[in-house]
Structures are given as C-alpha cells and as structure tokens.
Amino acid sequence: MSEDMEFLLAMVLSGASIGLMYSLIALGFVLVYKATDAINFAQGEFVMLAGLILVAVLGFEGAPLIAAIVVVLAAMIGFGFGLERIVLRPLLGRPVVAVIMATIGLAAIIRGLGPVIFGKEVRSVALPIGDDPIVLGPANLPPIQVLGAVVAIAFFLGFTWFFKKSRMGVAMRAVADSQQVAQAMGINVERYFALAWAMAGVVSALGGIVWGAMLGVDVQLALVGLKVFPVVILGGLDSVGGALVGGLIIGIVESLAAGYLDPYVGGGTKDFAPYVLMILMLMIRPYGIFGRRQIERV
Amino acid sequence: MTRFGKSVLGIAATTAVLAVGGAQAFAQSKEVVFGLQCDRTGPTAPVGTVLCPGYQDYIALVNSKGGVEGYKIKVLEIDNEYKVPPAMEAHERFNKEGAVVEFVYGTPQAAALGKKLEEDKILGTTPGFGTSAAADGKRFPYIFPIAASYWSQAGAAVEFVKEKLGTLKGKKIAYLFYDNPAGKEPLAVLEELAKSEGFELRTFAVPAPGLEMGAQVLDITGRFKPDFIIAHLFGRSPSVSIKELKGKGYPLSKVISLVWGSAEADIIAAGGMGIAEGYNTLQFAGVGKDFPVLKEIEAMYKAQGKPAPKEMDSTVYYNRGVLSAALHVEAVRNAIKAKGGAAPTGEDVKKGMESIKGFTLGGFVPPMELSPTDHEGGGWVQIWTVKGGKLVKVKDWFQGYRPVIQKQVAADASKS
Amino acid sequence: MFHRESGVFKTTYAADMALYPLPIAKWTVIALAALFVLIIPLTVHEYYLSILNLIFIAIVGALGLNILVGYTGQISIGHGAFMSVGAYTAANLAVRLGLPFWLTLPAGGLMAALIGVIVGMPSLRIKGLYLAIATLAGQLIIEWTINHVPAISGGAQASIEVDRPSLFGFSFATQGHLYFFLLFFAVLAIVATLNLVRSRIGRAFVAVRDQDIAAEIIGINIYRYKLLAFAISSFYAGVCGVLYTYYFGIANYEQFQLVVSIDYLAMIIIGGLGSVLGSILGAIFVTLLPIAIRIFMEDVGALFFSSAEMANVISGLRLGVFGGLIIFFLIVEPEGLNRLWRNIRSYFRVWPFSY
C-alpha cells in the first residue's frame, strides 16, 4: 500500500475510533430524547460527574476498580431518577426553550458544585488495559479508544435489542410516541420516564469512565458534551443506531478535515467541519439519517 | 403566603443580602492593597486554582514577617471566569479599594484592560501570557509581562532545538498549537527564525477545547515526520498531546512545550510522570520545592499547625504564583523606599517595578532586569525535562535569540 | 390609590396611544430620570458606575434577544456571535476609515443584522431544538471565521483597539462620561423596544410565536417576520457589541463566545420571556449576581470556610447558584422577575383596598 493510502487509512481509522467515543456520549442524549422528548444540554456534565465520582471513590486507599465502577453506576442511576423527579417532571408540557434552559442551568450547577464537592485537581483513571497502542493495519489506536468503541457498539447492540424485542423497550417507545394512548393502555408513563433517565445515567457512567480514562478527570471533561449535537443531528435525535453512525461520520470527517483541509486554510477546520455538515443536514434532512419524520416543517 | 407576600419577601431578602455586603470594612492605616484576578471556574481553572493560592501564600508569608517595609498587604482576589466583563468589574473594584498593583489573568482580559490600567495608573502584570509587544515599556507603560513573553518563549524553544540537533539548517520543526490568539502569537517569531536559520516549519492547529487531536498528531507523526516538535497548548490539551504523541510512537524527548503545557498536572493527567520520560518543558519560574522561599512558606504553615497545602505539590503553577507575588512585593518595596516610607501610589509602584534588578530569591526568579523601556525583563527561561519520573533542570536561565525578539517588538511598535 | 386607572380620560388619539397613559407614569418617569441623570452620577463612586455601565450594555443585548426568543418564539444560542460581528465591524471602520462612533455604531448593528438574517434562514424550515442547534452552529462558525480571517480580526491577536468615543471633540473617557453615553443608548433601546412591541410588527411577532399556522392564514407572512425578528434582534446584538468595544476600548472575539450567549438567554428567562421590563430586570440580576455572591461570601462565608477554600467555593457557588436560579425560575415562576413585579404592581393597583 502506498504511503498516501496508508496515511488515509490511518486517518480514517483514527477518526472512526474517536467517533465511536463520541457516540457513547450521544447515546445518553438519544435515550433521553427518545423516551421523554427532553433535550439534555447537560450530557457532557453528566459524563464529567460520573468521572468525578469515579476518581473520588478511587481516591480512597485500596478501593478496587470494580467497586468504584459499581458505585458510579449506582450513583448515576440514582442521579437519573432524582433528576427526573425533581427537575423534569414539573417541566412536562412546557415549551422546548424551558427544558433546554433547565438542562443548561443543570449543567452550570454540576460544573460549579462538582469541583467544590469532589475536588478540582486533575486525576487520572488507571484502567487495566495497558498503554501500548493496538495496531490495526497502518493505524496505531490507543487501547482506551478501542475500549470505548467496543463499549459503544455493545450499547448499540444492547439497546437495539431492548427497544425492539423487550417488553419494557416497546413500552418506552409507546410512551415516546403518545403519552396519552400509552397511559390508556395501562403503561405507567412516569415510571418509564424515570427508567429512561436512569438508563441515560448508566450510559453517562460508562462514558465518564472511558473518557475519564482517556483524558483524565476534571471540570473540563464536560466540554465533550458540545460534540453531541452534530452527532445526533446527523444520526437522528431519537435513533440509537443514528448515534453510532453519526459519531462515526463526524469522527471521520473531523479527521480528514484536519489532515487534508488544514494545510490549506491554516488550521482549525476540524472544529468547523462537523458544524457545516450539521447545517447542511438541517437544511436537507433535519431529522437525520435514521430519525423519524416527526418534526414540524414550516 | 400570598403571591404578593412571596414577592416582597424575595425582594427584602435580596436587599438584605446586598446591604450586608455593602458594609465594607474600612482600610486600616499602613496597608497596601494588591489586586489578584484569577480564573477558578473557567477553561484555565487547572492553572488558576493552583497559581492563585501560590500568590496568596507568598503574601501571607510577607505579612507574617511584618509586611513590606512595615505595610501590611491586603490581597483582593476576584474570579473573572476567564471572561472580560467580570475582569473589568474586578479591575474597577480594585481601583475603588485603592490597589496599587494588579495581577491580570488571561490574554483577552489583558488586552481589554490595557487602556484602563493606563488611565487608572495601576500597573498590571501578565507573566508568561498576554501581548508580547507589551515588553515595550514606552508603548505600554502600565503593562508588565515580567516574565518571558510568547515571543521570547518561542525564541528560547528554537534555541534549545538548535542545541539538541546541532544545527537547524534543513531540519523539520512542527509547531503544534492551540487555535486562539495566544496560541498564534509565537508564529511571527517562529516564521522569522525559520527563514533566517533555514529550517522547515509547519503548523498544526488544535481547535478549542483541544480534548482530542488524534488527526493532527497523526498528520505530524505519519506524514510530516519532524525532527522536533514545539508545542504551545493550554488547559487540558497538553496532557492529551503527550498521550497522543506517545501513543503514535513519537519520542517525547523531541518535544518541547512552552510554559503553559509544562506543569506536573499536565504530565500526571497524561498518565503519570513515569510515562512522559524525556518531555522537555520551558519554565519561567523555578520548579520543585527546593527553594528557600518555599521552605519558608512550608514553615509558616507548620507554625500555624497546618500541613502545607496540596497546591504546593503542583510546583510549576504554584511557583509562578509565588514569583508574581514576589515581584509585586519587590516593586512596592522599591516604591516605598523611594518615597522614604510614605504610602505608594500606582505610579510610584510602576517606577518601583521598573527598577527591579538582580532580584533572584535564591535562584527562583531569573536574573531579570526591568526598566522603563523593557517591561519583560529579558525573557529568561529554564528548561526542565522529565527524567526518572521527576522534572529535572537541564538548562539554567538563558535567553533565546534576544536580538530577534527585540527587533520584533520594535517592528510591532512601528506598525501601530 | 397610586396606580389609579379610573378617571383617566384622553381627548386625542395621540394621548391615548402614549406609552404610559396614567398620571403616575409621568411622575415615575420624572423620578427615574432625576435618579439616573442627576443623583446617581453625582453621588456614587466610580466603581458602582462601572457596574451600572455593564448593566446598561447588557440591557441592550437582553432586549434584542427577548425580541427574538420571547416575542417571536425563535430560539437562538448565537447572540454572542452577532455581538462580535458588530464589534469587529465598528472597530475596523473606526480604525481603518477613522469613522466616528455615531457612524460605526449603526454600521456595526446593520452588519450584525445582515449576518443575523443569514443565520436565521434555517428558521424558515425548522423549529425548536433544531433551530437552537443551527444557531449554535452559527455562533461557532462566526467565531471560527473571525479567528481565521486576519482581515476581519486584525491579526493573530484578534484584538482591535479603538479610541474612546468622541463627540465634537469631547471624549467619553471616564466611567462617569461613559455612564451618560451608555445610559443614552440603553434608554433609546428600551423606548424603541416598547414601541416596537406595541406596533404592527410586534403583534405579528407574537402571532408567529403563538400560532404560526393561524397567523399565516390571516395573512401574516411568517417568513418575512421571522427573518425580520432575527434582523432586529441581531441589530441590537451588534449595537451591544459595539458598546462593549467602546467601553473596553478593544474588540476581541474571545469576549463574545458561547458562554455569553448562554448568559443572555439566562437573563431573559430569569427576567421573563416576552416582556421589556423582564429583559431589564434579567440583565440587572444576572450582571449583579456574581458580585452579590462574592460580597455575601466575603462577609458571611468566613464563618464556614477557611480563606483558602473560600476562593474556590465562591466561584463554584457562583456557577451553582446561577444554574440553580435558572431552574428555580423555570419551575416555580416561569414568567420570571417580570411576573414578580406585576404581582407587586397589581397589589398597589387597588391599595389600600384588597380587591
């Protein structure tokens, strides 16, 4: 393979792996939107919170990693339940702006009080996966990214099965489609809302663990949340598969932009490209590749 | 309670809180006020939460020894969240309280406050950041870089590379930088040096927030394959860059980072000091705890029955805070002495700062010389490299390509 | 007794259509004018004037955003970017062509309005969250453009210095001078908005927000009015950006990033969507909040925290309280401070009776 082709392949693989890491975060967003129609601007902060809890637990002498992971999962599930109860239930039926601002406010709270409660210094997470890059053809992938990709794909498979085949998943989809009819059929809507947020908590917990291991945990971890939007717009706000595909596309596009466009423009297209892609998508097919044709066109 | 009642209660509570705050303590006699702007919650919080305690601790040390020439120092710290309006409000508050010297935090803030500092005659320091052209004391009378500016840092980095490679002619150097004005500052000097020394320079921008740069690093290591990398990153991106470069197999001994990617915190976040063997860093203040002034601070805490704060472990940023405080105190000391013991004004402190010479605090501070025309002090830096799990000094205070930097400052002045 | 609405008879159309037809309004305006034009500038220290200056600029921005989000129902997270467009336009014109502020200000506003229309075009096809995200993209793309096009940003530093505004040789340099300068524009913006929302255009905006399909049926061209809302709102934002530029003496896009857009959204939500008074109250509240928290913590916090921890706690608390208040207002009082004020006002309407 010629060197240029090798480089291209390496860029694509690198972009794909980071893209799947983005999908991991986007999944949390999609879960919430799919089940409850709520838009979570605080997804990045959830991931950060999970990371903070993780390193706080690991900070205790001799705490095994497994215990820490269990604590994080439990904490994030509890957080999801609590959040739904206290903040989101009163906001049911309110205009979109209200929920968006509520999650923005929530993001500010977590970002402000998280370091105060858990400590502000950067802490790294040591996962037992080694540091040597995994070689995949011409590409060297950091093992943590491979782990993240595996987790994302596992979630994708798991949630696809859940929503298609399991009783609870079908019930959740019914609730998302039409709350009133679901209630008429005897489905406890409130319980399913809580469940959706709890599931999002689980995804955030794993996202926090993986991203925390990759970047180290501190306040800035929340910034990954901004990447969510291009991914879900591309993939469809309520599609689990879309989150995966959207993440892959965004990751690869970013990578190629950095590699091939940057030299001409003096840098920075990596940031720029996903948003341009997103706008194009919004103009042509706003509900994304896999989303449902549900939004009101003017 | 009725709706009306609730509203009145809310307003009464708010007013009460604000009124409580309005009762400010009166300033005691024989007191000087220092203003400290900090970023504890914004994008550079990892720096601010360590640097500012360093500043405060040094001032506490000076106060415990009787203050500066008999004057107690009162430090007002205000968090500007790395935004400009709070920075302006902080400056106005410092002005109101009669501050004579101000630690400005952040490059955009320094740019915005430049004019105000001059109008209010309070000097502001921007060590290791801010506008490099502010080294020109005539053009910017009230702004003091008091440490190597970005241009000086770039010159020093290239000097180090030259030393490591033997010669620069025909070599390839990659410049990995954070895509904002502060990150782009050094470009002017780097391009100039590339022309005069004959090396090939290619730039790789990392857009904010710089949490992942796999593609750029791949581009560097896979395609460009440079002989050396000069890195200029902030916040969390330095640790990400270390991880990425290591992951792609690029030897960290061929990387040199400018001052804001050079802290223990960055290296630890990348996976610990052990994995970053050979990583070279530029420093403008002493590193590590082996300095008399730091031992004094530790002793001060012990005397109060408290353990040394854990911020002291993050010596790179902590020491920079101590350095800034030390220079502020020295400037005020010069001012008070020049006035024969009378309370100094902002203008006096400016003259005091400009007369700082030979102030090294036991090797902690470079042998800088400030003057009315040179507010940078010479652009001295040290190089510390990660060896055996710790930062070890490999090159003592030096200036890199000083004449080139001075030419750049002069050229910039002639443009405006 | 104060807010007497009965017994007020007008004899001309003009009198009836006045902004505030009640007699108490006249006295209120005179009292406020005396307070702001005479009493405050002469008695209060410069530091407080500087805070008021920041509030005045924020009022202009908040009014603009409320026109778009509160009155027309179009969500926009791009307000900060429009401010930077206005700021750089004015700065470039002032520095390259030497134009005075009374030309650069409208120019900055118009340029921002133009960009606002372009960013607002997706609103013709999408609503709600999608529009919010599109404006977010607009914010980031504008930031990137300014950062990377030296012709606009004036070089690597991306900062352009401007001289203080001057009128007939008198330069507005001190906080006191700038106070009057900014007060003028704040009052201008308030009066303009009050009139705008009472006019045909304002009513069309509200119609688009409430029932856009019905509005279209009765003949309101919702495309035109949506773009107009973006244009007007961005004009305000551009003017706000220019005012910031003249106030700081420098234009720098790092002052106008995403966090600023979110701050302004918070202002209008806490203040009250869809009301002029709400924008004003919200701007005051959000600007004062960090200062109030700091003062409160400085006095009271010493009881609970050591001085070393305090600095961290203050800043964390500030963000936490900010977020908490947003959520509080959304849940408890969705119409914001404006509603609180109206409650008080309706109490005084019939005072001393209870109903």
Side-chain angles (χ1 to χ4, degrees):
Chain A
M1 214 187 282
S2 79
E3 220 188 70
D4 273 340
M5 273 301 286
E6 268 193 26
F7 182 66
L8 176 64
L9 196 58
M11 292 292 257
V12 167
L13 284 172
S14 160
S17 86
I18 196 86
L20 283 173
M21 299 276 293
Y22 291 154
S23 308
L24 199 52
I25 305 183
L27 268 173
F29 184 97
V30 164
L31 275 177
V32 164
Y33 186 79
K34 196 177 172 76
T36 69
D37 259 358
I39 290 129
N40 186 6
F41 261 66
Q43 191 59 42
E45 277 76 12
F46 285 11
V47 167
M48 176 190 88
L49 185 63
L52 281 175
I53 300 178
L54 181 72
V55 292
V57 172
L58 284 177
F60 288 113
E61 287 292 328
L65 188 62
I66 290 291
I69 295 183
V70 167
V71 169
V72 173
L73 279 169
M76 289 310 287
I77 291 178
F79 177 72
F81 276 130
L83 187 67
E84 191 270 330
R85 196 91 228 285
I86 301 175
V87 174
L88 286 138
R89 208 170 289 180
L91 291 177
L92 278 180
R94 301 279 300 286
V96 167
V97 140
V99 180
I100 291 181
M101 280 312 291
T103 53
I104 291 181
L106 185 65
I109 295 179
I110 299 178
R111 210 164 349 120
L113 295 179
V116 172
I117 301 177
F118 293 106
K120 51 175 167 55
E121 61 281 354
V122 178
R123 280 162 287 195
S124 54
V125 176
L127 291 185
I129 48 175
D131 266 330
D132 303 318
I134 297 180
V135 182
L136 204 69
N140 286 352
L141 297 176
I144 184 66
Q145 281 187 13
V146 174
L147 175 68
V150 165
V151 170
I153 296 181
F155 268 132
F156 161 67
L157 292 171
F159 282 131
T160 310
W161 173 86
F162 175 76
F163 281 116
K164 275 216 162 55
K165 304 280 179 165
S166 83
R167 252 187 118 198
M168 294 216 291
V170 173
M172 212 182 270
R173 281 197 300 156
V175 165
D177 256 348
S178 169
Q179 282 176 32
Q180 283 191 318
V181 174
Q183 271 185 318
M185 301 300 289
I187 298 178
N188 185 343
V189 167
E190 287 175 356
R191 200 185 298 167
Y192 280 100
F193 275 7
L195 183 63
W197 278 94
M199 280 161 59
V202 168
V203 174
S204 311
L206 268 109
I209 296 173
V210 173
W211 275 90
M214 187 167 98
L215 292 183
V217 176
D218 81 330
V219 165
Q220 305 297 308
L221 193 56
L223 291 170
V224 300
L226 270 185
K227 294 283 189 204
V228 161
F229 294 110
V231 171
V232 294
I233 292 283
L234 241 77
L237 282 184
D238 60 354
S239 159
V240 169
L244 218 68
V245 170
L248 276 170
I249 297 180
I250 294 286
I252 295 179
V253 164
E254 271 190 358
S255 194
L256 293 177
Y260 292 101
L261 286 182
D262 265 4
Y264 297 108
V265 193
T269 50
K270 183 177 192 169
D271 212 20
F272 187 79
Y275 286 100
V276 171
L277 203 60
M278 190 180 87
I279 292 190
L280 285 174
M281 203 60 174
L282 280 172
M283 303 297 294
I284 306 172
R285 207 185 144 106
Y287 36 86
I289 301 179
F290 293 108
R292 286 193 297 168
R293 271 171 195 277
Q294 209 188 21
I295 64 142
E296 213 178 310
R297 293 279 212 96
V298 180
Chain B
M1 203 192 281
T2 64
R3 282 202 111 154
F4 172 71
K6 270 194 255 186
S7 312
V8 167
L9 194 61
I11 294 186
T14 323
T15 328
V17 166
L18 287 175
V20 165
Q24 298 280 338
F26 289 97
Q28 301 159 320
S29 58
K30 287 243 143 190
E31 199 184 62
V32 273
V33 180
F34 284 20
L36 171 65
Q37 288 197 30
C38 201
D39 172 22
R40 289 186 184 252
T41 51
T44 62
V47 175
T49 48
V50 178
L51 197 148
C52 303
Y55 188 101
Q56 298 258 23
D57 280 345
Y58 183 81
I59 302 288
L61 181 70
V62 170
N63 274 344
S64 74
K65 293 206 239 159
V68 54
E69 303 290 313
Y71 284 78
K72 280 259 188 253
I73 305 176
K74 179 167 147 193
V75 177
L76 284 173
E77 183 183 322
I78 298 187
D79 179 6
N80 69 17
E81 312 163 46
Y82 210 79
K83 290 194 229 171
V84 175
M88 179 62 106
E89 186 261 322
H91 166 79
E92 288 294 336
R93 179 91 197 280
F94 296 153
N95 195 12
K96 168 170 173 274
E97 301 288 332
V100 294
V101 67
E102 192 172 323
F103 182 95
V104 181
Y105 190 111
T107 306
Q109 287 79 352
L113 285 177
K115 217 174 244 176
K116 274 253 106 208
L117 287 166
E118 201 176 319
E119 287 165 8
D120 295 331
K121 297 216 191 320
I122 302 177
L123 78 82
T125 57
T126 63
F129 60 92
T131 323
S132 307
D136 184 339
K138 279 219 291 290
R139 236 175 113 201
F140 298 92
Y142 278 87
I143 305 209
F144 284 77
I146 59 165
S149 65
Y150 288 137
W151 286 341
S152 301
Q153 291 173 34
V158 175
E159 173 95 16
F160 176 73
V161 174
K162 185 171 177 183
E163 216 179 86
K164 281 276 168 173
L165 294 179
T167 167
L168 289 172
K169 211 159 175 63
K171 300 284 182 187
K172 291 196 278 194
I173 299 188
Y175 178 59
L176 180 65
F177 68 104
Y178 199 85
D179 196 12
N180 71 356
K184 294 196 275 193
E185 268 268 288
L187 276 172
V189 167
L190 288 173
E191 281 161 2
E192 174 72 33
L193 288 174
K195 269 199 299 232
S196 64
E197 294 278 358
F199 60 83
E200 187 189 338
L201 174 78
R202 200 173 313 172
T203 63
F204 298 89
V206 173
L211 290 177
E212 64 88 25
M213 51 185 84
Q216 287 91 331
V217 171
L218 194 56
D219 202 1
I220 296 178
T221 58
R223 264 206 306 201
F224 185 50
K225 301 205 185 64
D227 299 293
F228 227 93
I229 300 181
I230 299 181
H232 183 32
L233 298 166
F234 306 93
R236 298 307 318 284
S237 40
S239 58
V240 178
S241 72
I242 296 177
K243 259 201 179 147
E244 285 282 355
L245 284 167
K246 184 123 202 248
K248 299 282 191 290
Y250 192 84
L252 287 173
S253 57
K254 293 217 197 149
V255 178
I256 172 140
S257 167
L258 299 194
V259 301
W260 296 110
S262 303
E264 295 95 339
D266 298 313
I267 303 175
I268 292 176
M273 301 287 273
I275 71 140
E277 187 73 17
Y279 183 66
N280 302 296
T281 65
L282 237 65
Q283 307 285 351
F284 66 82
V287 174
K289 294 204 197 163
D290 196 15
F291 293 98
V293 61
L294 293 173
K295 296 210 170 28
E296 285 181 37
I297 296 183
E298 269 178 19
M300 176 182 78
Y301 270 96
K302 216 189 254 170
Q304 292 174 0
K306 290 192 265 188
K310 56 178 161 50
E311 284 89 3
M312 278 190 91
D313 292 330
S314 183
T315 66
V316 170
Y317 293 142
Y318 185 86
N319 293 0
R320 290 180 192 173
V322 173
L323 173 86
S324 311
L327 285 166
H328 284 189
V329 168
E330 195 61 17
V332 171
R333 192 192 304 278
N334 288 349
I336 297 178
K337 279 205 237 171
K339 267 187 109 156
T345 65
E347 245 184 290
D348 300 322
V349 178
K350 165 184 178 295
K351 297 209 193 75
M353 184 70 95
E354 283 165 351
S355 52
I356 291 187
K357 273 193 236 303
F359 173 66
T360 62
L361 213 57
F364 193 75
V365 177
M368 54 165 50
E369 220 177 86
L370 294 165
S371 77
T373 46
D374 182 3
H375 280 186
E376 194 190 343
W380 300 91
V381 289
Q382 284 179 327
I383 308 256
W384 290 64
T385 304
V386 179
K387 280 203 172 100
K390 316 197 293 155
L391 278 171
V392 167
K393 177 158 55 164
V394 296
K395 200 167 155 81
D396 207 352
W397 298 113
F398 74 102
Q399 300 167 306
Y401 291 101
R402 191 85 193 125
V404 175
I405 311 296
Q406 284 170 326
K407 214 170 49 167
Q408 191 76 35
V409 174
D412 200 78
S414 64
K415 260 195 284 174
S416 68
Chain C
M1 190 169 92
F2 296 118
H3 198 274
R4 181 170 45 92
E5 279 173 7
S6 57
V8 175
F9 303 105
K10 305 290 175 187
T11 50
T12 66
Y13 280 127
D16 195 36
M17 288 204 295
L19 269 179
Y20 286 116
L22 302 178
I24 187 178
K26 195 162 53 159
W27 293 112
T28 317
V29 170
I30 293 180
L32 281 175
L35 182 69
F36 278 99
V37 177
L38 292 176
I39 301 181
I40 288 185
L42 294 178
T43 57
V44 157
H45 188 278
E46 252 199 18
Y47 168 64
Y48 298 106
L49 286 183
S50 79
I51 298 182
L52 280 170
N53 285 341
L54 284 174
I55 293 179
F56 289 154
I57 306 180
I59 287 178
V60 176
L63 283 171
L65 191 60
N66 216 344
I67 292 178
L68 183 62
V69 180
Y71 284 99
T72 321
Q74 309 296 306
I75 312 176
S76 164
I77 316 185
H79 217 53
F82 301 136
M83 289 185 201
S84 60
V85 168
Y88 276 98
T89 312
N92 273 313
L93 288 176
V95 165
R96 289 183 205 227
L97 299 180
L99 295 182
F101 78 89
W102 41 271
L103 280 178
T104 62
L105 194 93
L110 285 171
M111 190 64 178
L114 184 65
I115 304 284
V117 169
I118 297 177
V119 170
M121 287 221 240
S123 72
L124 304 181
R125 305 266 284 170
I126 52 180
K127 293 169 75 161
L129 167 71
Y130 297 95
L131 182 58
I133 297 181
T135 54
L136 174 66
Q139 159 91 32
L140 294 168
I141 292 180
I142 292 177
E143 259 181 54
W144 184 94
T145 312
I146 294 180
N147 192 7
H148 283 90
V149 179
I152 302 178
S153 67
Q157 271 285 333
S159 299
I160 306 182
E161 267 189 55
V162 297
D163 291 324
R164 299 290 172 175
S166 63
L167 192 61
F168 305 121
F170 173 75
S171 168
F172 293 91
T174 68
Q175 294 287 354
H177 300 155
L178 286 167
Y179 174 85
F180 286 108
F181 182 73
L182 294 169
L183 176 65
F184 173 72
F185 286 106
V187 169
L188 193 63
I190 295 174
V191 172
T193 315
L194 280 171
N195 280 313
L196 178 71
V197 300
R198 295 185 323 151
S199 74
R200 188 155 186 252
I201 300 179
R203 289 197 294 272
F205 286 162
V206 173
V208 168
R209 174 189 79 198
D210 286 341
Q211 291 282 9
D212 51 353
I213 300 178
E216 209 171 6
I217 291 176
I218 64 169
I220 297 177
N221 184 342
I222 56 174
Y223 296 142
R224 211 184 100 195
Y225 281 104
K226 277 189 184 175
L227 288 180
L228 191 61
F230 266 100
I232 294 180
S233 162
S234 309
F235 182 85
Y236 276 78
V239 168
C240 179
V242 176
L243 289 176
Y244 270 124
T245 305
Y246 278 114
Y247 181 61
F248 293 126
I250 193 158
N252 184 332
Y253 81 92
E254 284 176 319
Q255 300 170 7
F256 300 117
Q257 293 186 300
L258 182 61
V259 53
V260 169
S261 303
I262 297 199
D263 274 349
Y264 277 89
L265 267 180
M267 280 182 208
I268 60 175
I269 294 209
I270 293 179
L273 287 171
S275 75
V276 172
L277 185 61
S279 316
I280 300 175
L281 291 176
I284 297 176
F285 194 87
V286 171
T287 310
L288 283 183
L289 187 65
I291 304 174
I293 292 183
R294 201 184 65 228
I295 295 179
F296 178 74
M297 285 299 289
E298 275 171 8
D299 289 335
V300 175
L303 300 174
F304 301 111
F305 302 101
S306 78
S307 66
E309 292 172 359
M310 269 257 282
N312 281 333
V313 171
I314 289 182
S315 18
L317 202 60
R318 185 184 24 79
L319 260 184
V321 170
F322 180 72
L325 277 172
I326 294 181
I327 296 187
F328 174 79
F329 273 101
L330 280 172
I331 296 181
V332 168
E333 187 47 88
E335 294 185 42
L337 291 171
N338 184 45
R339 160 70 51 193
L340 289 179
W341 170 255
R342 292 210 178 258
N343 291 342
I344 298 178
R345 212 175 76 165
S346 47
Y347 181 82
F348 277 109
R349 243 169 150 193
V350 292
W351 187 85
F353 305 111
S354 58
Y355 64 89

